[in-house]
C-alpha cells in the first residue's frame, strides 16, 4: 500500500514571489489562496510553503524571530487558517517549512540567552568563550566569514552555520529540544499535513578542535557522527503524529540514505544534494552530464525495492533555474531543454517537487548591479570578491550566474507591467522575458513546457507503474544519453533523453522501434539518433 505522499505531486511556493494581493510588492497568503485553482488544474497534491513566520528577513524568513506568528508581510493567522481549509477542500495538502537548526538573533530565546547567568535560555545556543582573545576555531560559515560571532553582552562567541544573524540552536540542550517539539506540535494542531525540515543535517557539529575542511566549507558541521541521537527523537515525534516529513539533507550520501529514509529512517524523504550541486561546476560546455546522471542513478538504486523513497527535484529557491543551470536557456532550445529535464526527473521513482515557475520554464535573470540583488550570501560573496581585487564587472558576472535570486524573481503570470504578480514594483525585479514567458502564454500554447508538465503529471496519476514500478537503468553509448525503464506487471515504460545540445546516435532506438511513443518533445521521430535535448517516452 502506497502512502499518500508517494502518489502525490508536490509544488514549492516561495510566497514572497508568488502572488501579491495587497499591492505592497510582496507576495502573500491570500495570493496563494487565489492561485489554488491554478495548482489544482496543474495536478498538484501538496504545497510546501517556505517560511512565512515572523522574521527580520536577513535570510528571507529563514531567520525566525517567532515560530508561532505569521509575518505581517504575508498576512494573518486567520488568513492562513482559510488557506489550510480552502486547500484541503481542493484535496491539496499543506507542508510547512520547519527551521530548527537556527533562529533569528532577534528571537526571544536568543535575546535571553545573551544575558547568560542562570536564565532558562542560557544553553539554547552554542556559546564559547574566546580562545587567546579570538574565535574558538577557524571554521567558515556557509554565507561567508567565520562561524563565530562575538556577543558583547555575554562576552562570548556564538556559533552560526549561516549568517551571523542566524545563531545555531544547541541540540544538546534538552530544554531547547522540548521547546522546539512543543512548537512542532502546535503547528500540527493548526491542521497542516507535514514539514520540510530546513538544514537538518547541520544540527550536529564536529569537535571544535578539528581543522577546517577547505575542500568542503560546511564539512565540519554537516552530517556529523552522532547526529542520529537528535534525529531519532525528532523522528519519533513526527511519526507519532503521522505527518509527512522531508528533510533537507546536505552531505548525506546515497550509501547512507536508508538510515535517513528507510523503513526505520528519520524522515519520509530527504532532499539530497549530489545532483543539484553540479550546477556549481558548469562551464561553457554545460554541466558534467555523466556525474549528473550517475547521481540520479545512485539514488534510485540506493532506495529501490522498498529500501526508501526519493524526493525528486531539479529546482528550489536556493539554486539557479534548472534550464539555465543544467540545460540550455536560449530562445531556440528553452522549450526542448525544459521538457527534457522535466521528463528526466518526473518519471523516476519518488515524489516530484516542482518549484514555482519551473512548470512554465522560467529561466535565470540578468543581474547587472549588486543593487538588484537581495540574497545575503550573494551580497557577502560580492563584497569579498571586490575586497580581493575583482572588478565590479567580474564580480557581477559571478553573482549573476550563481545567485539564488535567479529562482526568486516574481512568478510570471502574464505580460502586464508587473507580470500579473503585483500592481506595484515588486521587492525583486521581474525578469524582462515576462512578455513572452508567462503562464497565460504557456497555457495558450499547447506545445509548451506547461502542457508537457501536465501530461507528465497525468501519466504518473494514470499509471501506478510510475509509482511502484522498478527503475532499471539502461547504459547507452553516450554520456549525454540517459535511458531508464519503469516496469511492473502492468506495464513497461522506457524513457530516453538526450541531456546534451548535440545530436547523439543511438542504436538502442531500433530495439524500441515497435513500441509506442506516448510523449515526446519533437514532433516527428527519427530512428537512429536523438536530437539536441530530445526526450521520448515509450510504452511496451
Ligand atoms: C536552506 C534554505 O533552503 C535556505 O534558503 C536558507 O538560507 C538556509 N537553509 C538557512 O536556513
Amino acid at each position: 500500500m502506497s502512502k499518500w505522499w508517494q502518489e502525490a505531486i508536490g509544488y514549492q511556493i516561495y510566497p514572497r514571489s508568488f502572488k501579491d494581493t495587497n499591492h505592497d510588492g510582496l507576495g502573500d497568503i491570500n495570493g496563494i489562496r487565489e492561485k489554488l485553482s491554478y495548482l489544482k488544474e496543474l495536478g498538484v497534491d501538496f504545497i510546501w510553503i517556505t517560511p512565512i513566520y515572523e522574521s527580520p528577513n536577513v535570510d528571507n524568513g529563514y531567520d525566525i524571530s517567532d515560530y508561532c506568528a505569521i509575518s505581517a508581510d504575508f498576512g494573518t493567522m486567520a488568513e492562513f487558517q482559510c488557506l489550510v481549509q480552502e486547500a484541503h477542500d481542493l484535496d491539496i495538502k499543506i507542508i510547512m517549512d520547519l527551521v530548527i537548526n537556527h533562529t533569528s538573533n532577534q528571537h526571544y530565546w536568543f535575546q535571553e540567552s545573551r544575558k547568560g547567568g542562570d536564565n532558562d535560555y542560557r544553553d539554547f545556543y552554542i556559546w564559547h568563550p574566546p580562545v587567546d582573545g579570538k574565535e574558538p576555531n577557524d571554521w567558515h560559515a556557509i554565507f561567508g566569514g567565520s562561524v563565530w560571532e562575538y556577543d558583547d553582552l555575554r562576552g562570548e562567541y556564538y556559533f552560526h552555520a549561516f549568517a551571523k544573524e542566524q545563531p545555531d540552536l544547541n541540540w544538546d540542550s534538552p530544554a531547547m529540544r522540548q521547546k522546539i517539539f512543543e512548537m512542532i506540535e502546535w503547528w500540527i494542531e493548526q491542521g497542516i499535513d507535514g514539514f520540510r525540515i530546513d538544514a537538518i543535517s547541520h544540527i550536529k557539529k564536529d569537535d571544535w578542535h578539528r581543522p577546517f575542511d577547505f575542500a568542503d566549507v560546511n564539512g565540519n558541521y554537516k552530517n556529523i557522527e552522532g547526529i542520529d541521537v537528535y534525529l531519532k527523537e525528532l523522528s519519533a515525534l513526527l511519526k507519532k503524529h503521522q505527518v509527512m516529513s522531508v528533510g533537507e539533507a546536505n552531505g548525506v550520501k546515497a550509501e547512507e540514505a536508508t538510515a535517513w529514509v528507510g523503513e526505520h529512517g528519520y524522515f519520509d524523504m530527504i532532499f539530497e544534494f549530489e545532483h543539484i550541486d553540479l550546477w556549481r561546476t558548469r562551464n561553457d560546455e554545460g554541466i558534467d552530464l555523466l556525474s549528473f546522471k550517475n547521481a540520479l542513478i545512485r539514488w534510485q538504486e540506493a532506495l529501490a525495492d522498498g529500501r526508501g523513497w526519493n524526493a525528486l527535484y531539479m529546482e528550489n529557491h536556493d539554486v539557479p533555474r534548472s534550464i539555465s543551470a543544467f540545460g540550455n536557456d536560449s530562445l531556440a532550445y528553452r522549450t526542448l531543454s525544459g521538457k527534457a529535464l522535466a521528463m528526466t526527473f518526473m518519471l523516476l521513482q519518488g515524489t516530484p517537487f516542482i518549484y514555482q515557475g519551473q512548470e512554465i520554464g522560467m529561466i535565470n535573470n540578468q543581474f547587472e548591479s549588486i543593487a538588484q540583488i537581495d540574497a545575503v550570501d550573494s551580497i557577502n560573496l560580492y563584497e569579498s570578491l571586490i575586497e580581493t581585487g575583482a572588478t565590479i564587472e567580474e564580480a557581477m558576472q559571478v553573482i549573476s550566474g550563481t545567485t539564488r535570486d535567479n529562482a526568486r524573481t516574481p512568478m510570471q503570470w502574464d505580460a502586464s507591467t508587473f507580470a500579473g504578480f503585483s500592481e506595484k514594483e515588486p521587492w525583486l525585479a521581474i525578469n524582462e522575458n515576462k512578455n513572452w514567458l508567462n503562464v497565460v502564454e504557456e497555457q495558450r500554447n499547447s506545445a509548451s513546457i506547461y502542457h508537457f508538465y501536465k501530461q507528465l503529471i497525468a501519466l504518473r496519476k494514470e499509471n501506478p507503474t510510475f509509482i511502484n514500478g522498478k527503475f532499471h537503468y539502461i547504459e547507452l553509448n553516450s554520456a549525454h544519453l540517459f535511458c531508464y525503464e519503469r516496469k511492473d506487471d502492468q506495464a513497461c515504460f522506457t524513457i530516453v533523453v538526450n541531456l546534451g545540445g548535440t545530436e547523439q546516435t543511438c542504436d538502442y532506438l531500433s530495439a524500441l522501434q515497435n513500441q509506442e511513443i506516448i510523449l515526446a518533445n519533437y514532433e516527428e521521430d527519427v530512428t537512429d539518433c536523438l536530437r539536441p535535448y530530445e526526450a521520448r517516452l515509450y510504452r511496451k
Side-chain angles (χ1 to χ4, degrees):
M1 246 295 265
S2 304
K3 308 264 181 26
W4 72 262
W5 42 266
Q6 294 179 318
E7 294 178 8
I9 303 289
Y11 188 93
Q12 182 194 347
I13 295 186
Y14 195 70
R16 185 167 290 267
S17 298
F18 191 59
K19 171 73 190 172
D20 174 21
T21 55
N22 65 344
H23 318 305
D24 60 358
L26 297 173
D28 42 51
I29 291 172
N30 286 342
I32 304 176
R33 291 170 67 193
E34 193 180 304
K35 295 297 182 187
L36 284 174
S37 53
Y38 166 81
L39 299 172
K40 185 72 193 168
E41 166 70 21
L42 179 63
V44 167
D45 302 299
F46 68 88
I47 51 179
W48 149 30
I49 307 175
T50 62
I52 49 173
Y53 320 101
E54 194 74 60
S55 164
N57 288 317
V58 170
D59 187 20
N60 278 354
Y62 281 96
D63 47 324
I64 297 173
S65 51
D66 185 346
Y67 281 111
C68 296
I70 299 283
S71 156
D73 283 351
F74 298 115
T76 63
M77 199 53 166
E79 286 162 357
F80 179 77
Q81 297 293 4
C82 292
L83 169 65
V84 175
Q85 188 59 50
E86 289 161 9
H88 284 171
D89 288 347
L90 288 172
D91 234 347
I92 295 178
K93 294 195 162 53
I94 303 275
I95 305 303
M96 296 297 275
D97 216 309
L98 186 60
V99 188
I100 50 180
N101 174 67
H102 48 268
T103 67
S104 160
N105 59 350
Q106 301 306 310
H107 195 290
Y108 173 73
W109 300 345
F110 186 72
Q111 290 303 320
E112 288 298 300
S113 194
R114 293 180 64 207
K115 295 179 186 159
D118 60 0
N119 84 66
D120 290 350
Y121 302 92
R122 63 163 291 128
D123 295 329
F124 270 42
Y125 295 85
I126 301 169
W127 294 97
H128 204 296
V131 175
D132 301 329
K134 292 198 306 246
E135 290 86 0
N137 64 27
D138 65 347
W139 297 0
H140 294 206
I142 296 172
F143 290 170
S146 167
V147 291
W148 298 104
E149 183 71 14
Y150 186 70
D151 183 73
D152 280 335
L153 189 62
R154 176 140 164 170
E156 286 187 308
Y157 285 94
Y158 65 86
F159 182 97
H160 60 92
F162 295 92
K164 64 180 189 320
E165 295 85 356
Q166 294 169 294
D168 279 39
L169 287 161
N170 174 18
W171 276 75
D172 273 337
S173 157
M176 189 291 287
R177 296 203 301 275
Q178 185 54 35
K179 283 275 187 211
I180 287 287
F181 295 163
E182 283 166 14
M183 176 275 284
I184 292 174
E185 292 193 308
W186 185 86
W187 271 105
I188 295 172
E189 280 160 23
Q190 307 313 305
I192 63 158
D193 306 285
F195 296 103
R196 174 266 186 185
I197 308 159
D198 185 66
I200 196 65
S201 56
H202 297 297
I203 59 176
K204 170 90 185 167
K205 330 298 177 201
D206 207 346
D207 184 324
W208 303 135
H209 299 100
R210 286 275 168 83
F212 178 63
D213 181 356
F214 279 91
D216 185 7
V217 172
N218 51 27
N220 296 80
Y221 47 93
K222 179 174 69 184
N223 194 19
I224 300 296
E225 212 184 310
I227 193 170
D228 54 313
V229 178
Y230 307 147
L231 292 176
K232 279 181 189 147
E233 211 178 321
L234 172 63
S235 169
L237 181 77
L238 298 170
K239 288 192 174 143
K240 178 172 126 198
H241 293 284
Q242 296 184 326
V243 288
M244 172 206 154
S245 59
V246 48
E248 189 198 28
N250 191 0
V252 175
K253 301 219 164 9
E255 304 86 79
E256 315 160 272
T258 50
W260 287 70
V261 295
E263 201 191 334
H264 304 291
Y266 317 126
F267 305 118
D268 293 327
M269 294 172 267
I270 53 173
F271 290 122
E272 55 86 16
F273 277 50
E274 293 189 337
H275 76 292
I276 204 85
D277 261 353
L278 288 165
W279 68 268
R280 293 181 203 279
T281 48
R282 186 185 168 104
N283 60 25
D284 291 344
E285 271 144 49
I287 59 155
D288 173 357
L289 292 173
L290 190 60
S291 302
F292 176 72
K293 222 166 60 172
N294 284 340
L296 295 179
I297 298 164
R298 228 174 14 254
W299 279 85
Q300 287 292 298
E301 291 179 347
L303 298 180
D305 303 323
R307 283 195 292 278
W309 197 257
N310 274 289
L312 309 169
Y313 76 109
M314 290 297 298
E315 288 191 19
N316 61 35
H317 62 293
D318 288 332
V319 290
R321 290 287 182 178
S322 60
I323 299 179
S324 307
F326 300 109
N328 186 328
D329 63 10
S330 68
L331 259 188
Y333 286 116
R334 181 192 69 97
T335 303
L336 284 168
S337 170
K339 290 178 181 177
L341 290 169
M343 194 182 286
T344 299
F345 92 101
M346 287 283 293
L347 301 180
L348 292 169
Q349 184 164 39
T351 298
F353 287 72
I354 300 168
Y355 176 66
Q356 68 184 43
Q358 180 178 355
E359 77 281 19
I360 57 164
M362 281 178 66
I363 55 178
N364 279 358
N365 201 6
Q366 268 305 321
F367 294 98
E368 261 128 39
S369 136
I370 195 67
Q372 297 171 295
I373 300 283
D374 174 85
V376 57
D377 53 323
S378 304
I379 294 172
N380 291 349
L381 174 62
Y382 176 84
E383 283 166 2
S384 87
L385 287 168
I386 296 288
E387 243 169 63
T388 49
T391 63
I392 290 180
E393 291 69 36
E394 284 163 351
M396 278 318 293
Q397 207 185 343
V398 175
I399 300 295
S400 188
T402 57
T403 179
R404 307 192 278 178
D405 285 349
N406 277 307
R408 298 176 180 189
T409 60
M411 180 72 182
Q412 293 163 206
W413 297 103
D414 61 37
S416 62
T417 314
F418 299 121
F421 163 71
S422 175
E423 285 169 13
K424 204 181 147 239
E425 181 89 44
W427 70 280
L428 193 66
I430 297 203
N431 195 315
E432 280 174 14
N433 61 26
K434 55 98 183 155
N435 287 342
W436 57 269
L437 202 176
N438 57 60
V439 170
V440 169
E441 198 48 43
E442 287 272 314
Q443 285 184 326
R444 192 195 53 75
N445 174 4
S446 60
S448 67
I449 295 179
Y450 169 83
H451 285 288
F452 202 77
Y453 266 98
K454 275 191 78 168
Q455 285 165 299
L456 287 166
I457 292 170
L459 278 163
R460 281 188 72 102
K461 296 200 166 172
E462 285 154 15
N463 297 283
T465 307
F466 289 118
I467 311 300
N468 288 314
K470 261 186 168 313
F471 164 89
H472 175 228
Y473 171 61
I474 297 171
E475 179 142 17
L476 301 180
N477 53 319
S478 150
H480 290 208
L481 298 178
F482 185 35
C483 180
Y484 64 90
E485 282 176 350
R486 295 300 311 281
K487 196 165 145 179
D488 62 8
D489 299 346
Q490 307 292 310
C492 175
F493 295 95
T494 307
I495 291 94
V496 202
V497 181
N498 180 359
L499 292 165
T502 51
E503 190 167 292
Q504 302 291 313
T505 52
C506 178
D507 297 341
Y508 191 68
L509 293 180
S510 57
L512 298 170
Q513 218 170 8
N514 297 325
Q515 298 189 18
E516 186 195 356
I517 297 183
I518 54 172
L519 188 64
N521 60 352
Y522 277 81
E523 266 173 26
E524 60 322 316
D525 69 302
V526 287
T527 47
D528 57 347
C529 73
L530 283 161
R531 289 155 286 187
Y533 308 107
E534 180 157 11
R536 300 181 190 179
L537 169 63
Y538 291 85
R539 182 184 1 221
K540 200 184 268 176

